[in-house]
Amino acid sequence: IFGEMIVFRDLLGESSSKEEELTLLMSKFDDVVNSVVRQCSFDRFEELVHTAREKGELSASGIDGFWMTALREYYGKEADDGGDSPFDSYEDSSHLWSYVPHFHHVPFYVYSYAFADLVV
C-alpha cells in the first residue's frame, strides 16, 4: 500500500490537466474506500468466527453464515432486494471467505491493510 501511494503521488504530480488530476484522485479515493470497507468487513467476519469457535467446532455452512452477516453489515442489503449495496446480489458469495489466505494462516492480519490506507 505504501508503494502504491508513492507511485500515485508521482502520477498525480505529472498529471497534464485538472481533469486528469481529478480522475486520478477520484480513482484513488474509490480504491481507499473500497479497501478500508472490505478489510474491516473481513475483520468483522474473523471476529464472528473466532467468537463462535470458542464455544465449539464450526461447520462450513456456519462459517458461510458469518461471512454473509459481515457482508451485509458492511455493504448493506442487496440492490435487487431494494437495498443500497453496491452489489445487485450476494448469490454465490457465501464461500468467498475461503479464498482469503490470511484467514487460514495469519488471523486478524487484514486490519493492517485498512490501517495502512488510513495512515498514508
Side-chain angles (χ1 to χ4, degrees):
I1 289 175
F2 293 107
E4 291 172 7
M5 187 57 81
I6 291 169
V7 171
F8 170 73
R9 287 178 181 162
D10 286 349
L11 288 172
L12 191 61
E14 295 177 11
S15 60
S16 60
S17 68
K18 289 292 183 187
E19 290 80 15
E20 183 179 1
E21 187 176 306
L22 182 59
T23 299
L24 287 167
L25 286 168
M26 293 305 295
S27 178
K28 178 51 90 177
F29 178 75
D30 188 52
D31 287 347
V32 169
V33 169
N34 181 49
S35 179
V36 170
V37 170
R38 182 171 183 248
Q39 299 308 322
C40 289
S41 73
F42 283 5
D43 185 75
R44 174 65 175 143
F45 164 74
E46 287 188 279
E47 177 189 1
L48 292 168
V49 168
H50 287 272
T51 299
R53 179 66 178 101
E54 290 175 355
K55 298 173 186 155
E57 290 189 21
L58 303 174
S59 65
S61 64
I63 297 172
D64 291 350
F66 293 132
W67 178 259
M68 296 307 295
T69 296
L71 198 65
R72 288 185 176 101
E73 284 180 6
Y74 276 83
Y75 290 102
K77 186 177 176 184
E78 296 95 325
D80 284 352
D81 288 335
D84 57 359
S85 171
F87 305 107
D88 292 336
S89 171
Y90 295 138
E91 185 177 359
D92 299 323
S93 297
S94 64
H95 298 299
L96 291 178
W97 61 268
S98 64
Y99 88 95
V100 181
H102 297 314
F103 296 154
H104 309 287
H105 303 293
V106 190
F108 294 100
Y109 179 74
V110 296
Y111 83 90
S112 63
Y113 292 107
F115 183 75
D117 260 333
L118 295 172
V119 167
V120 298

